[in-house]
């Protein structure tokens, strides 16, 4: 592997890691193994800490391709809990409101999901990396400040109900760059005359890169250790 010339690596992002932490770990491991002082490493599309799944990491000259990957279609499997909301729209924050959900039938869910297919306007979550006057929205949200983010146009190509087991539902979403699945959960909850937040999220695909093509961070570390041992043996 030539990390300076450029490598494209596919990882299954671990739960509770930020995307930046994955990049930092990969950069540190490459630098330490190959005694490289400076190496460019970046990721193509942030995943929330409580999400897992496909994370594309580019090194060296391949970082020029990051934007190309960012614009590719993404697929997610999301688990929503109906009847409850949180400020972050996931499990990062505590439940702030409860709503009735007993009126929600499987047919109602399926009909509601259809309304989200196509070009839609979506207001990003307050707990997001969007910038307000140069500061990240999530930093302001954690201070308890009121945040007003403008809606953005995005495209939902497909949305499918996979499981209906009140108060939880599981859906598959195929969407464009810039889609916040947490915000989608919020909007689905509202459309069902209830509330909702994410309890699980897996990114299963970016473009044609699927989860089964991804490695664990630990596997990459072992791979570099094996290559390093081989290089030392041949010297």
């Amino acid at each position: 592997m030539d990390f300076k010339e450029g490598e494209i690596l596919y990882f299954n992002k671990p739960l509770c890691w930020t995307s930046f932490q994955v990049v930092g770990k990969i950069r540190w491991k490459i630098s330490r193994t190959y005694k490289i002082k400076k190496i460019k490493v970046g990721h193509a599309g942030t995943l929330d800490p409580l999400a897992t799944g496909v994370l594309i990491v580019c090194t060296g000259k391949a970082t020029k391709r990051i934007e190309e990957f960012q614009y590719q279609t993404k697929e997610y499997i999301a688990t929503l809990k109906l009847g409850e909301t949180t400020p972050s729209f996931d499990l990062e924050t505590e439940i702030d409101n409860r709503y009735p959900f007993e009126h929600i039938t499987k047919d109602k869910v399926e009909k509601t999901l259809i309304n989200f297919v196509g070009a839609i306007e979506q207001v990003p979550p307050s707990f997001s990396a969007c910038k307000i006057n140069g500061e990240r929205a999530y930093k302001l949200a954690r201070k308890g400040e009121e945040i007003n983010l403008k809606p953005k146009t995005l495209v939902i190509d497909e949305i499918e109900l996979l499981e209906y087991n009140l108060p939880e539902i599981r859906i598959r979403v195929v969407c464009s760059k810039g889609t916040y699945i947490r915000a989608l959960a919020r909007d689905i909850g509202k459309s069902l005359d209830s509330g909702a937040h994410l309890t699980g999220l897996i990114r299963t695909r970016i473009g044609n890169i699927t989860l089964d093509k991804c490695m664990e961070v630990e596997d990459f570390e072992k791979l570099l250790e094996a290559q390093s041992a081989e290089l030392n043996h041949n010297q």
Side-chain angles (χ1 to χ4, degrees), residues 11-15 46-55 74-80 162-163 170-175 181-182 198-206 209-212 214 216:
F11 290 99
N12 177 16
K13 188 192 81 63
L15 186 66
T46 304
L47 270 177
D48 289 333
L50 295 179
T52 62
V54 181
L55 185 72
K74 298 170 180 67
E75 180 186 70
Y76 297 88
I77 302 295
T79 304
L80 285 63
L162 299 177
E163 287 182 33
R170 185 169 282 123
I171 61 174
R172 182 180 69 89
V173 182
V174 179
C175 56
I181 305 298
R182 286 181 289 130
L198 279 186
T199 58
L201 182 64
I202 306 167
R203 183 156 67 194
T204 49
R205 180 169 63 84
I206 297 178
I209 305 306
T210 49
L211 195 51
D212 60 339
C214 296
E216 305 298 325

Side-chain angles (χ1 to χ4, degrees), residues 3 13-14 23 36 62-63 75 81 115 123 153 165 172 200 228:
F3 294 105
K13 188 192 81 63
V23 167
I36 302 170
T63 53
E75 180 186 70
K81 188 171 185 184
N115 296 329
V123 177
T153 303
N165 187 23
R172 182 180 69 89
S228 177

Side-chain angles (χ1 to χ4, degrees), residues 162-192:
L162 299 177
E163 287 182 33
Y164 168 84
N165 187 23
L166 285 186
E168 282 196 340
I169 61 171
R170 185 169 282 123
I171 61 174
R172 182 180 69 89
V173 182
V174 179
C175 56
S176 67
K177 177 184 184 290
T179 304
Y180 284 95
I181 305 298
R182 286 181 289 130
L184 183 62
R186 169 201 64 198
D187 296 340
I188 289 170
K190 286 181 181 177
S191 294
L192 290 168

Side-chain angles (χ1 to χ4, degrees), residues 19-233:
S19 301
F20 184 73
Q21 282 175 316
V22 175
V23 167
K25 184 75 169 178
I26 300 310
R27 184 190 293 114
W28 177 81
K29 192 66 183 178
I30 292 170
S31 298
R32 186 168 174 267
T33 303
Y34 293 97
K35 308 294 189 290
I36 302 170
K37 285 190 176 180
K38 284 189 177 180
I39 177 82
K40 281 186 178 180
V41 183
H43 68 77
T46 304
L47 270 177
D48 289 333
L50 295 179
T52 62
V54 181
L55 185 72
I56 298 176
V57 173
C58 300
T59 77
K61 293 178 182 177
T63 53
K64 293 175 183 177
R65 294 189 62 190
I66 283 176
E67 192 172 2
E68 170 196 333
F69 290 120
Q70 285 177 330
Y71 277 92
Q72 291 181 355
T73 300
K74 298 170 180 67
E75 180 186 70
Y76 297 88
I77 302 295
T79 304
L80 285 63
K81 188 171 185 184
L82 304 174
E84 295 176 348
T85 57
T86 70
S88 59
F89 313 141
D90 65 5
L91 295 174
E92 185 184 335
T93 52
E94 297 293 321
I95 294 162
D96 58 357
N97 283 299
R98 288 184 168 84
Y99 302 86
F101 60 84
E102 295 80 8
H103 63 283
I104 301 171
T105 63
K106 185 178 180 182
D107 184 59
K108 185 176 177 68
V109 173
E110 289 177 332
K111 285 178 178 175
T112 297
L113 293 181
I114 290 169
N115 296 329
F116 287 92
V117 176
I120 64 168
E121 295 284 302
Q122 184 186 78
V123 177
S126 299
F127 285 78
S128 67
C130 293
K131 285 189 176 180
I132 300 173
N133 299 324
E135 192 161 3
R136 299 290 184 187
Y138 66 82
K139 290 185 178 180
L140 299 173
R142 284 172 184 154
K143 293 176 189 174
E145 295 186 27
E146 189 174 335
I147 294 168
N148 293 304
L149 293 169
K150 293 179 180 178
K152 295 182 178 181
T153 303
L154 51 93
V155 177
I156 305 287
D157 295 307
E158 297 176 47
I159 189 164
E160 174 190 9
L161 179 64
L162 299 177
E163 287 182 33
Y164 168 84
N165 187 23
L166 285 186
E168 282 196 340
I169 61 171
R170 185 169 282 123
I171 61 174
R172 182 180 69 89
V173 182
V174 179
C175 56
S176 67
K177 177 184 184 290
T179 304
Y180 284 95
I181 305 298
R182 286 181 289 130
L184 183 62
R186 169 201 64 198
D187 296 340
I188 289 170
K190 286 181 181 177
S191 294
L192 290 168
D193 299 316
S194 183
H197 66 283
L198 279 186
T199 58
L201 182 64
I202 306 167
R203 183 156 67 194
T204 49
R205 180 169 63 84
I206 297 178
N208 62 356
I209 305 306
T210 49
L211 195 51
D212 60 339
K213 295 177 183 175
C214 296
M215 62 180 147
E216 305 298 325
V217 174
E218 295 84 357
D219 293 340
F220 179 72
E221 292 183 276
K222 289 174 185 174
L223 177 67
L224 287 199
E225 284 165 11
Q227 287 189 345
S228 177
E230 189 177 338
L231 283 171
N232 292 333
H233 177 74

